Amino acid sequence: MINPTLSSKSPHFSVMLDEVIKICSPDKGGVYIDCTFGGGGYSKKLLKSSKTKVIALDRDQFTLSIAKELEKKYPNSFSFYEKKFSEIESIASNQSADVIIFDLGLSSIQLNNLKRGFSFKSKETLDMSMGLTNMSAEKVINNYSQKTLSLIFKILGEEKEASRIAKNIIKARSEKKITKVDQLVEIIEKSKKKEYTSKIHPCTKTFQALRIFVNKEITELITGIIGATKVLKPGGKILIISFHSIEDKIVKYFFSNFSSNRSKPSRYFPENNNDKDNDILFDQYKNKILKPSFEEIIKNPPSRSAKLRYATRSKNNFFYPEDLKTKFKKYLDLESSYV
Ligand SMILES: C[S@@+](CC[C@H](N)C(=O)[O-])C[C@H]1O[C@@H](n2cnc3c(N)ncnc32)[C@H](O)[C@@H]1O
């Protein structure tokens, strides 16, 4: 167990803070749900407006100390839950929200705490849990079959050399259990082709895949955005900042296919359906992506892969967008595989 007071002292930047706050317009007041509290950057800024009420959540117990300070400062307008955002419906109970924000992935506080094993610079235990999971990268690496490991790296990391990495993990673990990050880094580096010249670190994709798998991030995302859509008021906004192509593909599909200007009707509704507005959850979706400014990327390089999309909830009654789960079934099935 890692001591939650050991969090990193390095600076924490909230990605696209100005852009997020502008879209949220906190001066109008209302109920805001910050689904990924992290270092609390968005929540703090939203609370500056006296008309806002912020409900924040995060699965990571390391965020508790920052959240407690905010609860003390804003006892009537801020509340925090150490929960996963897949539970958003029960957290919101019967309140509906004006704005819901998801800033996906890891915070710099998590990445820079080498004890948590997210960074390939670490020499510590292979953990990679964001919290509220019994899974760890160590369990995955030492127990899953070669076939499943290869699928995890290929599908969740889009790693081209997934098979060779998986094969070498099986070989190495038959000699000695793989418990530390640097052991895994060595295996991955040796598995990659010698002429590997990419600017990205050879471990980036495998580490991304493991982190997604350990935390069931795709299942969380799909369940979380469906729940958020149910909780949003008509006219309310859902904002999602994603950091890799799988996340962005899911968000884009959801907003585009369930909006009033979608190109193809959902396959669950007949094309000649007279009441065609029935299968719409969002108003006109512009398919616009906002990205961090050049200045922000210089100040905070990891922000370079951020993509912000947002959509406005239509007035229609909520219906369950089954199509979203069907479309991304391959990720959901993989995340639910057990040894
Ligand atoms: C990029 S950080 C958010 C940073 C935050 N916006 C800020 O301004 O400080 C992402 C946070 O989301 C949390 N998180 C990721 N997946 C989650 C989930 N399924 N449920 C709840 N929290 C989650 C992580 O623990 C992490 O603290």
Side-chain angles (χ1 to χ4, degrees):
M1 183 75 223
I2 300 159
N3 181 346
T5 56
L6 287 175
S7 60
S8 159
K9 290 270 184 295
S10 33
H12 170 73
F13 298 102
S14 297
V15 170
M16 301 179 77
L17 181 61
D18 292 343
E19 292 85 343
V20 167
I21 298 300
K22 191 167 168 213
I23 300 164
C24 289
S25 9
D27 291 342
K28 286 192 193 154
V31 175
Y32 291 73
I33 306 186
D34 181 353
C35 288
T36 49
F37 178 75
Y42 299 158
S43 288
K44 283 178 196 163
K45 197 87 182 215
L46 292 169
L47 285 162
K48 292 223 158 91
S49 162
S50 58
K51 292 187 200 156
T52 60
K53 180 176 172 204
V54 177
I55 300 169
L57 47 136
D58 202 295
R59 64 190 292 173
D60 190 350
Q61 58 169 327
F62 283 64
T63 59
L64 273 172
S65 56
I66 307 171
K68 288 226 159 78
E69 275 172 34
L70 275 192
E71 275 178 337
K72 246 193 236 156
K73 192 164 171 192
Y74 301 98
N76 301 319
S77 48
F78 179 73
S79 49
F80 179 81
Y81 298 84
E82 186 190 343
K83 297 259 187 211
K84 291 188 275 194
F85 53 60
S86 51
E87 296 173 69
I88 184 169
E89 263 184 84
S90 66
I91 296 164
S93 53
N94 288 324
Q95 285 188 93
S96 40
D98 293 274
V99 177
I100 303 183
I101 313 167
F102 294 83
D103 176 15
L104 301 170
L106 277 186
S107 71
S108 49
I109 305 173
Q110 291 167 323
L111 184 68
N112 294 332
N113 186 343
L114 297 186
K115 292 217 175 294
R116 303 191 63 175
F118 288 115
S119 162
F120 28 74
K121 291 182 196 139
S122 167
K123 294 193 185 339
E124 307 279 346
T125 305
L126 265 173
D127 183 27
M128 295 198 192
S129 151
M130 290 185 190
L132 303 179
T133 169
N134 293 324
M135 193 57 83
S136 71
E138 185 186 329
K139 280 190 194 161
V140 178
I141 290 294
N142 289 289
N143 295 297
Y144 278 72
S145 68
Q146 182 173 331
K147 186 172 167 222
T148 310
L149 287 176
S150 176
L151 283 175
I152 293 172
F153 304 152
K154 187 168 158 215
I155 294 178
L156 299 178
E158 298 171 333
E159 169 57 72
K160 289 201 180 74
E161 293 171 71
S163 319
R164 196 174 10 225
I165 296 171
K167 190 171 154 210
N168 289 339
I169 287 172
I170 302 297
K171 189 162 169 263
R173 83 182 190 197
S174 69
E175 287 156 19
K176 189 180 171 207
K177 195 170 175 196
I178 304 163
T179 57
K180 302 287 182 196
V181 176
D182 48 337
Q183 279 176 276
L184 181 62
V185 167
E186 199 187 325
I187 298 166
I188 299 170
E189 283 178 346
K190 282 192 181 148
S191 308
K192 298 288 268 194
K193 288 196 189 105
K194 289 253 165 29
E195 64 272 23
Y196 193 81
T197 50
S198 164
K199 274 190 205 141
I200 68 162
H201 190 285
C203 296
T204 303
K205 293 183 172 185
T206 311
F207 270 54
Q208 172 188 303
L210 273 173
R211 194 202 80 203
I212 294 175
F213 186 77
V214 166
N215 296 289
K216 310 281 175 255
E217 290 181 38
I218 307 302
T219 311
E220 274 297 307
L221 175 61
I222 292 179
T223 319
I225 57 181
I226 294 175
T229 307
K230 194 169 177 187
V231 167
L232 268 184
K233 283 182 190 165
K237 286 181 187 148
I238 171 167
L239 286 76
I240 308 177
I241 300 177
S242 64
F243 287 86
H244 57 76
S245 61
I246 306 172
E247 288 170 345
D248 188 53
K249 214 162 41 181
I250 294 170
V251 176
K252 180 180 173 190
Y253 182 83
F254 187 38
F255 288 173
S256 313
N257 259 30
F258 293 93
S259 90
S260 50
N261 58 326
R262 73 197 187 284
S263 49
K264 276 187 261 146
S266 161
R267 66 191 182 90
Y268 287 91
F269 290 86
E271 267 185 65
N272 60 356
N273 182 6
N274 292 334
D275 196 4
K276 63 182 176 39
D277 280 357
N278 266 348
D279 60 343
I280 287 166
L281 291 168
F282 305 108
D283 287 341
Q284 290 262 327
Y285 177 62
K286 293 196 194 86
N287 194 14
K288 193 172 145 192
I289 304 175
L290 299 178
K291 292 187 176 161
S293 65
F294 177 70
E295 291 74 25
E296 175 167 356
I297 296 172
I298 298 291
K299 207 166 77 181
N300 179 25
S303 70
R304 66 186 172 273
S305 32
K307 285 182 182 159
L308 166 58
R309 293 180 184 268
Y310 66 98
T312 306
R313 182 75 173 84
S314 71
K315 292 193 180 69
N316 296 351
N317 287 340
F318 176 81
F319 65 91
Y320 196 88
E322 199 58 57
D323 200 15
L324 183 65
K325 281 196 155 169
T326 318
K327 172 88 181 163
F328 297 102
K329 189 173 178 307
K330 111 174 148 179
Y331 300 104
L332 298 173
D333 286 350
L334 180 59
E335 283 193 344
S336 63
S337 54
Y338 291 95
V339 187

